[in-house]
Amino acid sequence: MPNTTELFASAPLGPLTLPNRLVMAPLTRNRAEADGTPTPLMATYYAQRATAGLIIAEAATPNAVGQTYPNITAVHSARHVAGWRQVTDAVREAGGRMFLQLQHGGRVGHPATSGLTPVAPSPVPLPETVFTPSGHRPAVVPREMTAEDVRTTVADFARAARNALDAGFEGVEVHSANGHLLHQFLAANTNRRTDGYGGPVAGRIRFTAEVTEAVAAEIGADRVGLRVSPGNTVNGIAEGETEEIYTALVERLGGLGLAYLHQVFADPADPVFRKIRAGWPGVLIANPVLGEGPATDTVRRASERLLAAGADLVALGRPFLANPDLVARLRLGAPLNPVRDRYLMYVGGATGYTDYPALGAETAQPSRSSSVALDGPRVA
């Protein structure tokens, strides 16, 4: 097992040189304005965490119909770009670097939130409720995407990537994981199409591949990452042929020269992880499975184990969420702040967001005047 100093060694990533190998994973926090515009509070939140080797900002939608929940971010208007510019300026001033994740929710959405009927590869509804401005509501049957919808959505992703660079991001991450639109195309239970975007594995990977290729053509492949979550069943996904799907995807995109491939819930003992690492020619970011309330040693050892198994960078979500100075804590072996689950999502304000203390600061507690959570713990 490598020495812990490897976590803090510099690493190349596309046009960047990262000061360490710790990546802040994208985490939906629902602190944007209703129209998806980032807020000054978000600039504070990300700037606090600028010591990460790379920050991958939370999912931003490339078009209006891609919205999942209330108060998530977007990047398809001039106002969105201006809002994000405040965030990237603050992070850059604090010494950090940022990519922006681009996410279309597909069937994970609701007309009560977006004003639009969700679209998906096939008219298969989400088998659970969806959070909306008025609380949880039954999911609706999504509209099956036409060939024109597919072409338009690919173009929307490319345009959103250009907007992200205009907003000051170093690059973007295409989200093809966690049961959202691109993952819905990959999965057999949500993709029942009989055209060239469905059926066998080669058809099911086509949409993810075309979106990624279009984004790379727009802003340069070395500024584009792709996120995948092989075998993940969140949001009602049942892929079928998981190993074949990701082998084919790696083969199709491996020669494109992408900045990275980002695997969620990576396990070095998993044959799919090993096959992806063996087949992917570029940088691999791996996100470990940590469980609830991980201790410093747990996080550090899981990260080192992934590096030893061939990952180039390690993405951490909840540890960065609760510890703005996570890099320093891991370097020193200092205790980690626990995550306050009640304030993860569907809430506003600073509590459980920008009030996590750094080393040496007094432990912050939720104030009585803070916004009240509208839902239980959930992070997308």
Side-chain angles (χ1 to χ4, degrees), residues 2 112 122 127 135 164 171 222 228 247 251 324 334 340 357:
S122 302
D222 64 346
V228 296
T247 298
E251 287 177 353
R340 290 186 236 135

Side-chain angles (χ1 to χ4, degrees), residues 92-154:
R92 188 167 289 109
E93 184 175 347
R97 298 135 300 277
M98 296 186 80
F99 271 43
L100 177 63
Q101 187 183 77
L102 304 180
Q103 173 194 279
H104 190 302
R107 69 176 186 168
V108 185
H110 201 281
T113 301
S114 67
L116 301 166
T117 299
V119 297
S122 302
V124 181
L126 186 73
E128 54 193 71
T129 60
V130 178
F131 190 75
T132 74
S134 59
H136 279 279
R137 299 181 64 169
V140 300
V141 177
R143 179 174 63 80
E144 181 172 305
M145 293 173 70
T146 65
E148 178 59 25
D149 289 329
V150 169
R151 287 190 293 271
T152 299
T153 304
V154 170

Side-chain angles (χ1 to χ4, degrees), residues 90-233:
V91 169
R92 188 167 289 109
E93 184 175 347
R97 298 135 300 277
M98 296 186 80
F99 271 43
L100 177 63
Q101 187 183 77
L102 304 180
Q103 173 194 279
H104 190 302
R107 69 176 186 168
V108 185
H110 201 281
T113 301
S114 67
L116 301 166
T117 299
V119 297
S122 302
V124 181
L126 186 73
E128 54 193 71
T129 60
V130 178
F131 190 75
T132 74
S134 59
H136 279 279
R137 299 181 64 169
V140 300
V141 177
R143 179 174 63 80
E144 181 172 305
M145 293 173 70
T146 65
E148 178 59 25
D149 289 329
V150 169
R151 287 190 293 271
T152 299
T153 304
V154 170
D156 288 343
F157 269 92
R159 189 176 306 108
R162 174 57 58 189
N163 287 344
L165 262 61
D166 291 345
F169 287 97
E170 304 285 357
V172 301
E173 176 177 278
V174 174
H175 193 25
S176 186
N178 297 356
H180 297 290
L181 180 64
L182 275 64
H183 200 188
Q184 292 160 28
F185 270 88
L186 297 179
N189 74 318
T190 48
N191 185 347
R192 301 178 183 176
R193 301 176 74 94
T194 57
D195 62 3
Y197 291 93
V201 165
R204 302 209 309 270
I205 71 166
R206 182 179 170 187
F207 183 63
T208 289
E210 289 184 357
V211 167
T212 307
E213 289 161 354
V215 169
E218 180 66 29
I219 65 171
D222 64 346
R223 294 186 180 276
V224 180
L226 174 66
R227 194 184 207 207
V228 296
S229 56
N232 192 353
T233 60

